[in-house]
Amino acid sequence: MYRVVALALPDVVAFDLAIPAQVFGHEDERERYSFRVCAGEPGLVPTTSGYSILAPDGLDALLSADTVVVPGYAPLNDPPAEVCDALRQAAVNGSRMVSVCTGAFALAAAGLLDGKRATTHWKNAERLRTLYPGVAVDADVLYIDHGSVSTSAGVAAGIDLCLHLVRKDYGTEAANSIARRMLVAPHREGGQAQFIERAIAAPLTRFADTCAWARQNLAAPLTVEDMAAHAGWASGSFTRKFTAEAGMTPLRWLNDQRIAEACRLLETTDLPVQAVAFRTGLGTTANFRLHFARKFNTTPSTYRRLYQGRNRQAAPA
């Protein structure tokens, strides 16, 4: 079990604090994570939403945490010296240090982001860059994971980072089950831009049947034309409508499903890499490795060594 402690600084952003609480502190996760909220001193902590929350623990809770999460807060003043000391000590103890949104300012004040790329909400990025010139601020990504220190952009990007951490801890199936419970996208790449022109929606309405059919037939040499025919649309019209609803082309969506299924098979079965490539419709082993490297910057075999066994009871071969 991983011990996760969220540090609530005055005035904490309630939504930012609710993210790790929902991901790590939900009753469904109690066999995987323990979750606590601490503050500079135990007691009520004001939020930016007009109400206070109770933090039952003080800073000592940080010293035994496996993961420390600092949600956003305002105004963006440096935390008290004892808070920065506790954050530094937690890092020295080996805690994974994580910030959501403007929580990055607290990590920066403690010196934990010096010499590292970090992100925060795009509205506050320039201020972070000015206050802490030793931090390489990148406002064009959703989250950045250095392993020991991770930062996320504003608001919902904190969900993406927390699910990413669950994926590292327990594998894809565990993260996906939380995403289903929270009704959010199971995975967004950390390098995705913070600001997009329009919302990205999953293709689960007009083309839900076709998407389900495609997922069940990934081993077949499916094409966009095959998907359009199943949906009863001309190929060009199908592509336009699908892209408008899903936020991506049907070809990219299909490839993402193949990669996702490949991850599941690598995690939960002992199938040879060649068999995984065949079952997911990714063709030859070489083609599979190429697609996998583009997506994860690693090989299927390395991925299997990292994650196999974490979800063995979740799916059959």
Side-chain angles (χ1 to χ4, degrees):
M1 180 182 293
Y2 290 90
R3 294 163 295 182
V4 180
V5 177
L7 172 61
L9 297 171
D11 289 74
V12 65
V13 178
F15 186 86
D16 291 358
L17 177 59
I19 290 170
Q22 276 292 313
V23 173
F24 304 113
H26 192 274
E27 60 183 0
D28 291 351
E29 304 308 312
R30 287 179 184 166
E31 292 185 0
R32 295 182 175 130
Y33 297 100
S34 67
F35 178 78
R36 302 288 293 176
V37 178
C38 78
E41 295 183 1
L44 292 176
V45 180
T47 73
T48 57
S49 299
Y51 60 87
S52 296
I53 59 99
L54 177 63
D57 297 319
L59 295 174
D60 286 349
L62 299 179
L63 305 183
S64 60
D66 296 305
T67 297
V68 172
V69 183
V70 185
Y73 62 99
L76 298 174
N77 300 321
D78 284 354
E82 60 269 22
V83 171
C84 291
D85 289 343
L87 289 172
R88 282 191 289 268
Q89 188 59 55
V92 169
N93 292 349
S95 297
R96 179 170 60 187
M97 310 302 290
V98 178
S99 67
V100 176
C101 195
T102 55
F105 283 77
L107 297 186
L112 300 179
L113 300 182
D114 289 349
K116 295 182 174 64
R117 281 179 65 237
T119 192
T120 187
H121 194 291
W122 59 269
K123 289 178 64 176
N124 304 105
E126 189 56 39
R127 182 171 181 180
L128 183 63
R129 187 178 291 113
T130 300
L131 289 177
Y132 305 102
V135 180
V137 180
D138 187 345
D140 295 325
V141 295
L142 292 178
Y143 57 85
I144 297 171
D145 178 14
H146 291 291
S148 60
V149 180
S150 302
T151 55
S152 73
V155 198
I159 300 176
D160 298 309
L161 175 55
C162 287
L163 290 177
H164 167 75
L165 297 177
V166 173
R167 191 174 297 108
K168 290 181 66 176
D169 292 341
Y170 289 105
T172 301
E173 288 293 325
N176 287 353
S177 69
I178 296 174
R180 286 192 293 271
R181 169 169 56 78
M182 294 178 65
L183 301 179
V184 297
H187 180 59
R188 290 199 294 173
E189 296 287 346
Q192 183 171 318
Q194 290 190 28
F195 182 78
I196 51 179
E197 292 293 335
R198 56 185 171 76
I200 293 178
L204 298 177
T205 53
R206 182 181 305 192
F207 300 117
D209 290 344
T210 295
C211 289
W213 168 81
R215 290 191 191 98
Q216 293 168 4
N217 293 277
L218 292 176
L222 295 178
T223 64
V224 173
E225 288 72 20
D226 294 330
M227 294 178 67
H230 183 276
W233 288 71
S235 180
S237 298
F238 171 77
T239 297
R240 287 192 299 273
K241 296 291 185 181
F242 188 102
T243 303
E245 186 172 350
M248 65 181 72
T249 66
L251 183 60
R252 179 180 170 187
W253 178 89
L254 183 59
N255 190 62
D256 283 351
Q257 304 312 302
R258 296 188 193 282
I259 293 293
E261 176 63 6
C263 289
R264 187 190 72 83
L265 292 174
L266 290 170
E267 291 179 20
T268 62
T269 76
D270 291 318
L271 288 171
V273 171
Q274 183 178 5
V276 173
F278 175 78
R279 285 199 180 195
T280 55
L282 288 166
T284 65
T285 302
N287 187 60
F288 173 35
R289 286 178 174 143
L290 177 63
H291 281 283
F292 205 85
R294 286 174 177 170
K295 188 76 172 178
F296 297 113
N297 197 32
T298 191
T299 66
S301 297
T302 300
Y303 182 93
R304 169 171 270 164
R305 284 195 296 272
L306 286 171
Y307 293 108
Q308 191 180 61
R310 298 182 179 185
N311 297 306
R312 279 207 166 272
Q313 298 178 353

